[in-house]
Amino acid sequence: MRITNGLILLRLVALAVAQGSGTYSVKTPPLTTNWTFEVGTNPWPEYPRPQMQRSQWQNLNGIWRYENATSLNATSDPPFSQTLENEVLVPSCLESGLSGIMGSYALYSWFSTSFTVPSSWSGNQILLNFGAVDYEATVYVNGQQAGFNRGGYYQFTVDVTNATKFDEANELLVFVHDPTDSGDYVIPIGKQTLRPSHIFYTPCSGIWQSVWVEPAPANYITALDVNANMDGQVNVTVHSSSGAASPVSVTIYESGGEKAIATTNGTSDSPFQFTVSSTSLWSPDSPTLYNMSISFGSDTVRSYTGFRTISKGEVNGVVRPLLNGEPLFMFGTLDQGFWPDGIYTPPSREAMVYDLDVLKSLGFNMLRKHIKVENDLFYQACDQMGLLLIQDMPALRPLQGDQYLPNADQQAEFTRQLELLVNQHKSYPSIVTWVIYNEGWGQLIDGYPEFGLTDLVNSLDGTRLIDSTTGWFDHGAGDFSDNHHYANPQCGSPFYSIQSSPYDPARIGIQGEFGGIGQNVSIEHLWNNQAAINTINQTYEIDETIDAWNYRGHKLLTELKEQTEIYACSGGVWTQTTDVEGEVNGLLTYDRRVLRTNITQWKDDIQALYDALKSRSSNSTSTMRML
């Protein structure tokens, strides 16, 4: 791929050498959280993949070594058996304070560590797992290239059996290339940019999710697809490393216990179904989950599921989302998942869940995971807490005119990664909607590819709704007629702005983004970067006091309620969970130390939204037609 402004870029890359001193310590970022200096050197100790958990495993998180590289050509001479220049915390973003590096323009990087595999694992396949590496990773073990992965948001596994030595140190070396939005690269990056400015933020490069190694038999489970519906039917596909049909046994246990309530046998690598009687349904009000075990030859994994059905229907003449056959008002926040100390990587599971606890306590039943993919423990937490998820596909580079529209190869890569998103996350009960395009970013206008992509997503996962285009270029694809408007909502209504299409009564009316009202705070709670501070007044609306901010919030939520009572609104996404860098429009400040909301007021206003839809959907002449 051609790199424009090459001399400037090379100079910036040269300046991107690690700012660490060799020995790891947390770098103080422009803003800290209460968890920044509590992370320690053994972060994220939890098993990283809760829906396919093996009993034997070894966590490789902790202090690794890191060194900047200058180009892709670095892979022609890997630094085997060398001590790289700096210590770095894994998982973390190289640009973060938690990494100990806090670098910039980290386009090319080397990471190294060592691990010891016990001889008791011999005779098994040795699987090296990565939660996510941004953006391309080339993996070497003991001097041998073992694997390559492209895609900054997705987990991958490298079989390192042939390169592994038992009961002695194994050298692990990873080369990472993360172009972000350098040159003319057009890749899924979400809100990351090398040039942060207001609604675009500090990027994340490197190994930003957990790394672990585990043994598995010669023929082992590679993936597990589970969907359990409101009728008690469980649909399962167990994917194997051989791809050859083999016997599988699935057991489901009572909720919260280990008493088996259903066992069935099936065949791997093709779907099979069975029914469990008298199950409790999963919902935001009652997020009941059931543990599972799956046996495949000598491989056994643990998992879980929740029984629920997502669908749509016409209720009293309005198309609505349905959860377990009942009309549902989905109300949540735009959740960007950025942290001042970790950028993309939360300091800990406790910190990550704090945001979710705040949303749940205020009465939100949903969040829109905005053009980012989280680690698997995030989705497990939403499953456990009963938070519905609208999951975005990470967006391509935002348009500047038509300069960064994807070419055929870039569009094919976007499509491949969209498939990964769906396939790796379609077993989480909390996910109820997939989003393909956000506000036209990377969306080709000629030929309307969102129709084909919608069909693709539906073929991969027909159990959820699809929001093909959230905001802007809507040509009629998908299940939602989705409006974005700041600050006031325009939800399922006969009025709209030029940035969104008119409401389509054949689809679900939702306010995909609104609100965005800001309130400046003292420097103690701001991202203390002058360039970011200079953009604060680009926030959609600035309210000078907390009281004014809450007053405006009440007015806007009242408008959304009225559009639910009068028109055809079925949900809304408030911008946003937290401030991010130069944006000061969060319920929480970026450091999570100040909650702006008047709790009683917001809880009442949110409940009024649910009550409004319930009233519209359950009058004495109520009618429903499934779609």
Side-chain angles (χ1 to χ4, degrees):
M1 181 170 290
R2 178 173 57 88
I3 302 295
T4 59
N5 299 320
L7 291 177
I8 294 174
L9 183 60
L10 286 173
R11 182 172 62 85
L12 289 169
V13 170
L15 291 173
V17 296
Q19 298 175 17
S21 60
T23 302
Y24 174 76
S25 63
V26 178
K27 291 283 186 181
T28 301
L31 184 66
T32 65
T33 71
N34 290 335
W35 300 275
T36 303
F37 298 104
E38 296 180 358
V39 171
T41 56
N42 293 293
W44 290 92
E46 302 86 359
Y47 187 87
R49 194 181 55 207
Q51 284 202 324
M52 203 178 87
Q53 184 165 349
R54 291 191 169 92
S55 59
Q56 294 187 80
W57 70 292
Q58 183 183 148
N59 194 333
L60 300 189
N61 294 345
I63 302 301
W64 290 36
R65 299 205 70 91
Y66 156 79
E67 194 167 288
N68 180 68
T70 56
S71 74
L72 284 172
N73 293 332
T75 55
S76 64
D77 186 23
F80 298 132
S81 303
Q82 297 179 29
T83 300
L84 303 184
E85 184 177 356
N86 293 283
E87 291 188 337
V88 64
L89 189 69
V90 170
S92 66
C93 304
L94 288 172
E95 296 83 355
S96 72
L98 288 179
S99 72
I101 305 300
M102 211 158 71
S104 60
Y105 277 80
L107 305 188
Y108 312 100
S109 307
W110 285 108
F111 294 82
S112 70
T113 190
S114 65
F115 62 95
T116 302
V117 175
S119 57
S120 61
W121 290 9
S122 63
N124 289 285
Q125 304 303 109
I126 306 303
L127 306 180
L128 177 62
N129 303 287
F130 293 82
V133 179
D134 200 356
Y135 171 69
E136 294 176 336
T138 306
V139 180
Y140 305 85
V141 174
N142 293 329
Q144 301 180 36
Q145 182 172 331
F148 173 82
N149 184 75
R150 176 179 291 121
Y153 297 94
Y154 308 108
Q155 60 186 259
F156 63 97
T157 297
V158 180
D159 188 330
V160 297
T161 308
N162 293 335
T164 300
K165 299 178 290 188
F166 294 93
D167 288 336
E168 57 181 296
N170 293 275
E171 181 189 45
L172 171 58
L173 190 66
V174 182
F175 178 76
V176 179
H177 174 216
D178 184 20
T180 311
D181 56 353
S182 62
D184 55 2
Y185 278 93
V186 179
I187 62 176
I189 56 173
K191 286 290 192 83
Q192 301 179 79
T193 179
L194 294 170
R195 295 163 291 276
S197 177
H198 195 50
I199 66 168
F200 301 103
Y201 319 125
T202 301
C204 172
S205 302
I207 304 170
W208 68 277
Q209 290 188 22
S210 289
V211 185
W212 73 105
V213 64
E214 61 190 359
N219 192 15
Y220 58 90
I221 299 170
T222 58
L224 179 66
D225 303 333
V226 179
N227 174 66
N229 67 28
M230 61 182 284
D231 299 317
Q233 184 183 71
V234 185
N235 301 278
V236 180
T237 303
V238 178
H239 301 269
S240 72
S241 56
S242 72
S246 300
V248 171
S249 176
V250 177
T251 299
I252 295 184
Y253 303 92
E254 64 182 357
S255 178
E258 288 297 312
K259 179 183 177 182
I261 59 173
T263 299
T264 193
N265 297 317
T267 303
S268 71
D269 301 289
S270 60
F272 60 92
Q273 298 80 34
F274 62 98
T275 299
V276 182
S277 61
S278 303
T279 56
S280 298
L281 299 185
W282 185 96
S283 72
D285 293 332
S286 181
T288 305
L289 298 173
Y290 291 82
N291 289 327
M292 303 173 62
S293 65
I294 299 89
S295 296
F296 171 71
S298 57
D299 194 14
T300 299
V301 299
R302 296 281 293 190
S303 189
Y304 69 88
T305 192
F307 290 83
R308 92 290 179 268
T309 297
I310 307 300
S311 59
K312 63 180 178 179
E314 186 179 284
V315 184
N316 293 343
V318 178
V319 179
R320 304 285 192 190
L322 307 176
L323 174 62
N324 300 327
E326 297 295 327
L328 170 73
F329 192 91
M330 298 192 296
F331 190 60
T333 56
L334 195 75
D335 193 83
Q336 312 232 38
F338 275 78
W339 292 81
D341 44 15
I343 311 300
Y344 257 17
T345 307
S348 62
R349 185 185 185 280
E350 176 190 2
M352 179 181 73
V353 170
Y354 175 80
D355 285 3
L356 304 179
D357 282 333
V358 168
L359 296 179
K360 189 73 175 179
S361 69
L362 289 170
F364 291 98
N365 66 5
M366 175 269 283
L367 60 86
R368 176 183 164 201
K369 178 44 61 179
H370 187 42
I371 48 182
K372 182 195 176 190
V373 183
E374 297 288 356
N375 68 48
D376 285 1
L377 295 172
F378 173 90
Y379 298 96
Q380 180 192 39
C382 291
D383 292 342
Q384 293 169 335
M385 296 171 64
L387 277 167
L388 305 168
L389 283 171
I390 295 176
Q391 176 62 56
D392 289 10
M393 171 64 188
L396 297 173
R397 190 168 180 170
L399 300 182
Q400 296 178 16
D402 61 356
Q403 183 177 2
Y404 295 120
L405 285 173
N407 61 31
D409 289 342
Q410 292 161 344
Q411 182 69 16
E413 182 61 24
F414 176 83
T415 302
R416 185 188 72 87
Q417 293 191 30
L418 175 63
E419 292 185 49
L420 287 175
L421 172 69
V422 175
N423 283 330
Q424 291 191 5
H425 297 86
K426 62 185 177 184
S427 295
Y428 292 106
S430 54
I431 297 177
V432 296
T433 299
W434 303 111
V435 171
I436 297 174
Y437 284 117
N438 174 71
E439 293 186 346
W441 297 3
Q443 180 185 352
L444 294 168
I445 304 305
D446 295 335
Y448 304 162
E450 65 268 24
F451 283 92
L453 293 175
T454 300
D455 290 343
L456 171 64
V457 171
N458 191 57
S459 71
L460 297 172
D461 176 21
T463 71
R464 291 178 173 85
L465 302 175
I466 303 173
D467 192 347
S468 304
T469 57
T470 178
W472 300 16
F473 305 132
D474 180 9
H475 305 109
D479 299 304
F480 291 86
S481 182
D482 186 336
N483 179 290
H484 289 192
H485 189 257
Y486 290 100
N488 304 67
Q490 300 175 338
C491 184
S493 65
F495 46 86
Y496 62 96
S497 68
I498 60 172
Q499 288 186 332
S500 282
S501 303
Y503 165 62
D504 176 3
R507 294 180 291 158
I508 299 165
I510 190 172
Q511 189 67 44
E513 293 181 27
F514 81 114
I517 55 176
Q519 188 268 324
N520 209 343
V521 289
S522 64
I523 191 63
E524 288 81 10
H525 303 292
L526 286 176
W527 179 251
N528 193 2
N529 174 285
Q530 192 58 51
I533 291 171
N534 291 344
T535 67
I536 284 175
N537 282 336
Q538 295 179 29
T539 302
Y540 302 104
E541 171 182 311
I542 294 290
D543 303 314
E544 293 188 355
T545 66
I546 287 286
D547 287 344
W549 185 89
N550 277 289
Y551 163 77
R552 288 290 291 142
H554 173 67
K555 288 296 183 183
L556 296 176
L557 293 184
T558 299
E559 284 193 48
L560 191 68
K561 175 179 71 76
E562 291 170 349
Q563 291 166 24
T564 305
E565 293 170 334
I566 301 170
Y567 300 121
C569 185
S570 291
V573 179
W574 179 270
T575 301
Q576 57 187 327
T577 306
T578 73
D579 297 350
V580 185
E581 298 190 9
E583 285 194 274
V584 293
N585 51 6
L587 304 177
L588 288 158
T589 52
Y590 196 22
D591 61 2
R592 278 71 171 176
R593 290 187 174 108
V594 177
L595 178 64
R596 292 186 173 95
T597 56
N598 178 314
I599 293 174
T600 300
Q601 172 197 307
W602 278 74
K603 289 180 71 171
D604 290 347
D605 285 342
I606 291 170
Q607 183 60 47
L609 296 170
Y610 305 146
D611 292 343
L613 184 135
K614 183 177 181 181
S615 177
R616 278 290 303 274
S617 301
S618 60
N619 60 41
S620 58
T621 58
S622 179
T623 61
M624 180 184 295
R625 179 171 65 91
M626 301 299 291
L627 298 175

